[in-house]
Amino acid sequence: KSAEGDGALDSSTDSAPRDKIDPTLARQRRIAAWKVLEEFYEKGWARAIGVSNFSVRHLKELREDGAKIVPMVNQIEASVEVQQVDIRDYCLENNIVLQAFSTLRGLNGPAKQVLEQIGNAHGKDLGQVAFRYLYQHGYTMVFLTNSQARMKSNQDIFDFELSDEEMKQVDELNLPEGGGWGLPRPDDIP
């Protein structure tokens, strides 16, 4: 137990440089925090429990370290440029719901032309094409807007489907080393 928190959920390492964090300590803290969440779930205090920014390694370590319950959701950054293919595949194979944040990253970059072309073919905007792409790959999405019109538009993705060729075109937009909005990539977290 540290002065900053309760031990299991202590975030005192959040501001430390990632190369200075002891990987063993980080792993111990993850399983300790997970055990607390399992207890909350077993007592009925939570309807679902999950993780955020977990890599395949982190998810496997939870199991190795004695997790009784597989995370029900893994919230990660995912977009047409940051596709997290290895994490996506692992979560889908293990019945872990994928929840994407920062879903609209890259719409003004190199991806714009490809997404516009696909969107024009379906009468959809760039965001709708990006959301549909993620949806077809098994993601649920979190998006933020203050506009009711944009909220409606963001959800208007169920009346069309991207073809296999269109999915491949968007697959090619992936920047494997692309980190997002200043957040570390899950694989870079000790």
Side-chain angles (χ1 to χ4, degrees), residues 58-88:
H58 297 137
L59 292 165
K60 287 180 178 180
E61 286 174 355
L62 271 185
R63 284 186 174 183
E64 292 167 9
D65 293 343
K68 295 182 283 181
I69 301 169
V70 174
M72 295 163 191
V73 64
N74 187 12
Q75 187 182 62
I76 59 174
E77 178 182 5
S79 68
V80 297
E81 288 188 342
V82 181
Q83 296 175 16
Q84 311 280 17
V85 176
D86 60 333
I87 300 171
R88 179 188 74 207

Side-chain angles (χ1 to χ4, degrees), residues 100-171:
F101 64 84
S102 296
T103 51
L104 298 179
R105 177 175 184 240
L107 298 190
N108 293 319
K112 185 175 182 177
Q113 184 178 0
V114 173
L115 297 177
E116 279 180 343
Q117 180 184 359
I118 294 170
N120 289 339
H122 295 282
K124 298 294 180 179
D125 66 32
L126 301 177
Q128 291 167 322
V129 173
F131 287 139
R132 183 66 203 193
Y133 170 79
L134 291 169
Y135 176 77
Q136 283 183 225
H137 268 309
Y139 285 95
T140 61
M141 279 85 49
V142 173
F143 47 83
L144 176 65
T145 181
N146 293 323
S147 162
Q148 286 185 354
R150 178 54 65 193
M151 179 69 73
K152 184 175 180 345
S153 172
N154 287 346
Q155 296 176 30
D156 188 20
I157 65 166
F158 299 106
D159 60 349
F160 76 107
E161 187 171 320
L162 301 181
S163 69
D164 289 344
E165 180 58 35
E166 289 168 331
M167 290 293 287
K168 287 177 188 169
Q169 286 178 292
V170 181
D171 285 343

